[in-house]
Amino acid sequence: MSLLDTFGFFDDVRRMNKRQLYYQILNFGMIVSSALMIWKGLMVLTGSESPIVVVLSGSMEPAFYRGDLLFLTNYQEDPIRVGEIVVFKVEGREIPIVHRVIRVHEKANGDLKFLTKGDNNQVDDRGLYAPGQLWLEKKDVVGRAKGFVPYVGMVTILMNDYPKFKYLTLALLGAFVLVHRE
């Protein structure tokens, strides 16, 4: 069994005329641009820079488990309240954190500060915040959890944990789009 037999799609690409190949490349471009437009549309509708996130750790168990997919909104006019689950970014950390608000301080002038903690953690999140930061502010919030789908995000975790799996999956999807003639 030769390598070309194993990857028969290379043979299919070679047999395509230029017009078919250009059509398939344009089709692939349309799929990618459609996905980006849907993402941007969700950002506008939800008010969140990241309307969908994956839970990456077990710190929120039993509310959310590793691999759960969360749907977020971030409407600025909605007040942050104790018990609400927020996704926030901390200066110096690239990956957002999903935790519950345990304390809120609201001043008369409208300034709002709050403290978070993972349901499965023993202590609050002050150790996770930037050095010298004791409270979060509204500007730190990426979104608030409004719904979830269990374990759907495990694919994302697998792709992050195993980069070769990610590149193989993307290559196979790209090859399928190029070869698929309908």
Side-chain angles (χ1 to χ4, degrees):
M1 186 176 208
S2 74
L3 187 61
L4 284 178
D5 291 337
T6 305
F7 298 102
F9 58 83
F10 287 126
D11 194 37
D12 287 343
V13 171
R14 213 177 17 209
R15 281 188 278 160
M16 283 184 192
N17 64 36
K18 285 183 182 180
R19 176 173 273 168
Q20 286 175 321
L21 185 61
Y22 292 146
Y23 176 76
Q24 295 302 78
I25 291 170
L26 282 173
N27 196 19
F28 182 72
M30 292 288 287
I31 291 169
V32 170
S33 61
S34 294
L36 289 172
M37 286 189 289
I38 290 169
W39 183 259
K40 289 293 185 183
L42 283 173
M43 287 174 66
V44 170
L45 285 173
T46 63
S48 175
E49 69 183 65
S50 184
I52 299 172
V53 296
V54 175
V55 177
L56 298 176
S57 75
S59 67
M60 279 303 293
E61 292 177 6
F64 300 119
Y65 292 90
R66 190 171 193 254
D68 288 355
L69 191 71
L70 299 182
F71 300 102
L72 309 178
T73 61
N74 194 21
Y75 303 120
Q76 293 301 317
E77 63 275 1
D78 292 345
I80 293 175
R81 297 290 172 227
V82 171
E84 195 170 24
I85 296 171
V86 295
V87 177
F88 60 92
K89 277 191 174 178
V90 175
E91 185 181 320
R93 289 184 181 256
E94 188 177 316
I95 297 174
I97 300 167
V98 179
H99 281 172
R100 189 178 305 275
V101 175
I102 60 169
R103 224 181 272 160
V104 175
H105 288 281
E106 196 166 359
K107 294 183 180 176
N109 66 1
D111 284 348
L112 180 88
K113 294 187 179 206
F114 57 95
L115 183 63
T116 57
K117 176 184 170 294
D119 290 357
N120 202 21
N121 293 349
Q122 299 300 316
V123 296
D124 62 41
D125 290 342
R126 286 185 172 145
L128 298 174
Y129 300 163
Q133 183 179 9
L134 298 176
W135 301 90
L136 291 175
E137 298 175 13
K138 260 191 160 178
K139 68 176 178 57
D140 300 315
V141 175
V142 174
R144 303 168 199 193
K146 295 298 179 188
F148 75 102
V149 179
Y151 301 112
V152 173
M154 286 306 285
V155 174
T156 302
I157 291 173
L158 285 173
M159 287 188 177
N160 284 333
D161 290 351
Y162 304 101
K164 289 180 183 175
F165 175 70
K166 173 173 50 177
Y167 297 128
L168 177 66
T169 302
L170 292 174
L172 289 174
L173 287 172
F176 175 76
V177 169
L178 284 175
V179 173
H180 192 62
R181 295 178 186 220
E182 292 179 21

